[in-house]
Amino acid sequence: MTALLLLFSFSALLGCSSAPLPVQGKSAPSDLYEKGMTAYLGERYEDAETTFKTLMNEFPLNRLSVEAQLMLADTYYGMERYEDSASYYTNFSALHPTHPKAAYSMFQKGMSHFKEVLSVDRDQTATRKALFAFEDFLKSYPDSAYIPKGKELISFLRKRLAEREIYIASYYFKSKNYKGALGRFRDVLKNYPDTGFTDTALYFIGESYMRLGEKKLAEEAYNTIISNFPESPFARGAMDRLKDS
């Protein structure tokens, strides 16, 4: 009888040992999210980064993991790690296009690139990336509350790219590379007609043609300025050039 009791007890112990034991020290998704948010709002971005990544790794199927992905993008944005924030915003909007914050995410992707826009005398890769991002945002979420700001930023970015073309064209012109200058000034007319530099481009197109011996083409450019931009400071110069031609 005693032996049977011992055998039964041993079998029961084996059964208990096969049952899953509770995981010690593993926070619930809600606790991790709250901890991450507290760190983020306190601008303790490194702690927020670690916590949101832990939530995403340990609970990938939990709804708060989706929220953590967006908050991780916001965290990188706060840390001024704009390449990382752009990457996470891109992934979020691509994976969750119907999420209530998808429009915000795509707008912030543009803002991440916008933060890296350089002065007109430097490379404009970030300017182009920001412009493409905001244009995609306008197409994807035309009813978003961020649309007015997006349009404002698009206008700024297009003007910056036009300024870049004027900057390079002017360098060519000063260097007496008149063919190179013509190409750049024409690009301004073709690609950025709404940025306020049309009269500038036309005047220097005329000047470039004049120096290349293309008098008739130069006169066409000057006449266009006088007809379409009579109030432009370049209109007087165009009139003087026609009188001298």
Side-chain angles (χ1 to χ4, degrees):
M1 183 67 177
T2 301
L4 287 174
L5 287 172
L6 289 173
L7 180 60
F8 177 79
S9 299
F10 182 69
S11 299
L13 286 172
L14 287 177
C16 291
S17 65
S18 64
L21 296 175
V23 178
Q24 299 297 320
K26 190 172 183 179
S27 300
S30 58
D31 293 334
L32 285 170
Y33 187 77
E34 182 178 351
K35 180 181 177 182
M37 286 299 301
T38 300
Y40 171 79
L41 293 174
E43 298 186 359
R44 292 182 287 107
Y45 294 128
E46 291 184 359
D47 291 342
E49 176 190 11
T50 299
T51 305
F52 288 132
K53 281 187 173 180
T54 299
L55 172 53
M56 292 167 62
N57 291 332
E58 293 186 358
F59 303 97
L61 301 181
N62 190 281
R63 66 175 185 82
L64 288 176
S65 182
V66 175
E67 303 298 328
Q69 182 182 357
L70 181 57
M71 286 310 306
L72 188 56
D74 284 343
T75 298
Y76 286 136
Y77 189 85
M79 297 169 76
E80 299 183 4
R81 288 171 53 178
Y82 298 120
E83 185 174 342
D84 289 328
S85 65
S87 177
Y88 272 87
Y89 285 131
T90 298
N91 289 339
F92 184 89
S93 56
L95 293 173
H96 313 287
T98 61
H99 190 280
K101 294 182 180 177
Y104 164 80
S105 180
M106 187 170 282
F107 178 83
Q108 282 297 107
K109 172 187 175 181
M111 286 302 302
S112 296
H113 293 307
F114 183 80
K115 288 290 187 177
E116 296 192 304
V117 170
L118 302 175
S119 58
V120 71
D121 59 327
R122 301 179 65 186
D123 181 73
Q124 298 300 306
T125 298
T127 308
R128 294 184 179 87
K129 286 183 178 181
L131 178 61
F132 294 152
F134 286 125
E135 288 177 340
D136 284 345
F137 161 70
L138 258 65
K139 293 176 184 176
S140 300
Y141 301 98
D143 298 323
S144 169
Y146 297 100
I147 288 294
K149 187 63 177 179
K151 289 181 177 179
E152 178 184 332
L153 291 169
I154 285 175
S155 179
F156 172 87
L157 293 165
R158 285 180 55 77
K159 186 173 182 179
R160 173 55 57 85
L161 292 175
E163 288 174 330
R164 175 65 175 176
E165 291 299 311
I166 292 288
Y167 176 83
I168 296 173
S170 298
Y171 173 81
Y172 286 155
F173 185 85
K174 292 175 183 177
S175 301
K176 299 182 179 181
N177 180 358
Y178 301 119
K179 289 184 178 180
L182 272 173
R184 291 289 183 165
F185 285 124
R186 284 170 178 163
D187 284 344
V188 173
L189 297 183
K190 178 182 178 181
N191 299 321
Y192 309 105
D194 56 343
T195 57
F197 294 103
T198 300
D199 56 338
T200 304
L202 281 169
Y203 181 78
F204 283 100
I205 284 174
E207 292 291 280
S208 298
Y209 274 133
M210 191 65 77
R211 284 162 175 74
L212 289 169
E214 298 287 350
K215 184 178 177 181
K216 289 185 178 180
L217 292 175
E219 289 176 347
E220 287 180 11
Y222 295 139
N223 281 318
T224 301
I225 297 173
I226 295 167
S227 298
N228 296 342
F229 303 94
E231 303 301 322
S232 168
F234 290 104
R236 173 55 60 184
M239 291 178 187
D240 291 341
R241 295 296 278 160
L242 288 172
K243 290 177 183 177
D244 296 337
S245 63

